[in-house]
């Protein structure tokens, strides 16, 4: 299967423009089974207030953005994972959505909020789903989740073949360096779709990354170029957790020795 990312700059608080931008980028793409878009791709990121974020959010069951993604996936018989500024009643979540040929498949609400996101979004408490699709088992993470190894491991143990990591990274290359290591130690593919451009004092670092289950960087984008890139993925490489003839990444785990983690 072919999977990759779109690295671009959503326009801050310009929902209509972002719809057209995403639609145009997707329409111009080659045939790809899975594309990952950055965090908050429908709205931009650096909100001055909760009210501003609220005015640029949508509910998943009444979303023009999801309709655009659905239409693309229906026509191409493909899948898109994207960051999504999500409204649920009077709450906001920094979410990632997964859309396929039949519409919205599911969502993940960012667990670990970064900087001023803490003033705006509710931290996700709905867990870490893995979605079984005809193109593979897909897990979703959002940006700053990258620094918490627990979430990657949970998705691995739930059988994820590919992690779609929707991002608006601003720290200097830390996530881009760690993503191949998460891919290696969990033996899955990771697609980090980061954005480019600046909003206020924040400059986004680009360098979207595709890493394979052996920790190889298949591709890393430039720091400030718009790019759509994809590669052939062999999901058998993600499903084979054998390290040596006598070591299996999962079978060799000793969960009884990790209980302390829950108490510290
Ligand atoms: C981030 O979580 N947007 C850095």
């Amino acid at each position: 299967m072919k999977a990759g990312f779109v690295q671009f700059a959503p326009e801050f608080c310009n929902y209509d423009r972002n719809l057209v931008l995403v639609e145009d980028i997707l329409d111009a793409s080659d045939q790809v089974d899975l594309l990952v878009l950055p965090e908050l791709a429908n709205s931009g990121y650096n909100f001055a207030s909760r009210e501003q974020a609220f005015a640029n959010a949508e509910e998943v069951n009444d979303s023009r953005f999801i309709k655009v993604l659905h239409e693309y996936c229906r026509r191409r018989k493909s899948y898109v994972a994207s960051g999504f500024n999500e409204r649920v009643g009077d709450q906001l979540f920094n979410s990632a959505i997964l859309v396929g040929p039949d519409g919205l498949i599911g969502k993940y609400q960012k667990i670990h909020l970064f900087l001023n996101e803490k003033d705006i979004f509710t931290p996700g408490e709905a867990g870490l789903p893995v979605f079984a699709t005809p193109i593979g088992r897909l897990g979703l993470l959002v940006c700053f989740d990258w620094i918490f190894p627990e979430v990657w491991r949970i998705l691995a143990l739930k059988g994820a073949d590919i992690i779609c990591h929707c991002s608006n990274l601003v720290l200097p290359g830390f996530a881009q360096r760690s993503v191949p290591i998460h891919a290696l130690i969990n033996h899955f593919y990771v697609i980090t779709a980061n954005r480019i451009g600046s909003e206020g004092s924040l400059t986004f670092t680009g360098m979207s990354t595709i890493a394979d289950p052996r920790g190889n960087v298949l591709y890393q984008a430039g720091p400030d170029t718009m790019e759509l890139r994809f590669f052939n993925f062999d999901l058998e490489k993600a499903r084979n957790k054998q390290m040596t003839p006598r070591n299996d990444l999962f079978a060799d785990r000793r969960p009884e020795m990790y209980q302390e983690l829950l108490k510290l």
Side-chain angles (χ1 to χ4, degrees), residues 29-253:
S29 82
D30 290 333
Q31 183 62 33
V32 188
D33 298 300
L34 170 67
L35 281 174
V36 184
L37 271 52
E39 180 180 11
L40 296 175
N42 57 342
S43 65
Y45 179 80
N46 196 9
F47 299 111
S49 66
R50 197 170 175 281
E51 290 67 34
Q52 193 180 42
F54 206 85
N56 289 277
E58 285 186 325
E59 304 225 0
V60 288
N61 51 14
D62 183 24
S63 163
R64 290 183 294 144
F65 188 74
I66 292 178
K67 283 200 184 83
V68 164
L69 299 186
H70 177 198
E71 181 51 25
Y72 165 82
C73 293
R74 189 187 63 72
R75 273 191 283 110
R76 300 287 190 102
K77 295 190 172 34
S78 61
Y79 293 76
V80 174
S82 177
F84 184 76
N85 182 5
E86 185 195 10
R87 185 157 54 81
V88 180
D90 62 0
Q91 288 187 309
L92 290 176
F93 292 91
N94 185 341
S95 297
I97 50 171
L98 179 64
V99 181
D102 298 327
L104 181 70
I105 294 168
K107 65 182 181 182
Y108 158 72
Q109 293 169 330
K110 186 177 187 180
I111 291 176
H112 304 101
L113 299 178
F114 184 71
L115 274 176
N116 300 348
E117 291 173 35
K118 294 185 178 196
D119 303 327
I120 292 167
F121 297 104
T122 303
E125 295 203 338
L128 293 150
V130 171
F131 300 101
T133 76
I135 60 161
R137 298 189 292 254
L138 309 180
L140 305 172
L141 290 177
V142 179
C143 206
F144 193 52
D145 285 328
W146 70 266
I147 205 167
F148 300 92
E150 296 87 348
V151 294
W152 301 90
R153 181 44 62 95
I154 288 170
L155 291 172
L157 291 170
K158 285 179 152 179
D161 302 312
I162 304 172
I163 306 302
C164 307
H165 179 216
C166 306
S167 297
N168 280 187
L169 296 159
V170 293
L171 299 175
F174 297 161
Q176 290 92 337
R177 270 185 273 149
S178 81
V179 155
I181 305 303
H182 288 304
L184 170 63
I185 65 180
N186 291 293
H187 275 215
F188 48 30
Y189 285 93
V190 181
I191 304 171
T192 295
N194 194 23
R195 64 160 289 177
I196 52 172
S198 296
E199 289 180 8
S201 59
L202 296 180
T203 295
F204 304 98
T205 54
M207 298 168 66
S208 295
T209 300
I210 303 177
D212 80 2
R214 299 299 175 266
N216 300 305
V217 176
L218 299 181
Y219 184 74
Q220 192 158 72
D224 52 14
T225 39
M226 202 202 120
E227 297 189 41
L228 187 156
R229 289 291 176 138
F230 56 88
F231 278 79
N232 278 317
F233 285 18
D234 174 1
L235 298 189
E236 271 316 304
K237 286 190 182 155
R239 291 176 184 178
N240 177 5
K241 305 294 185 187
Q242 205 71 32
M243 297 292 298
T244 76
R246 296 191 60 189
N247 294 99
D248 180 278
L249 184 58
F250 284 179
D252 283 4
R253 291 179 70 248

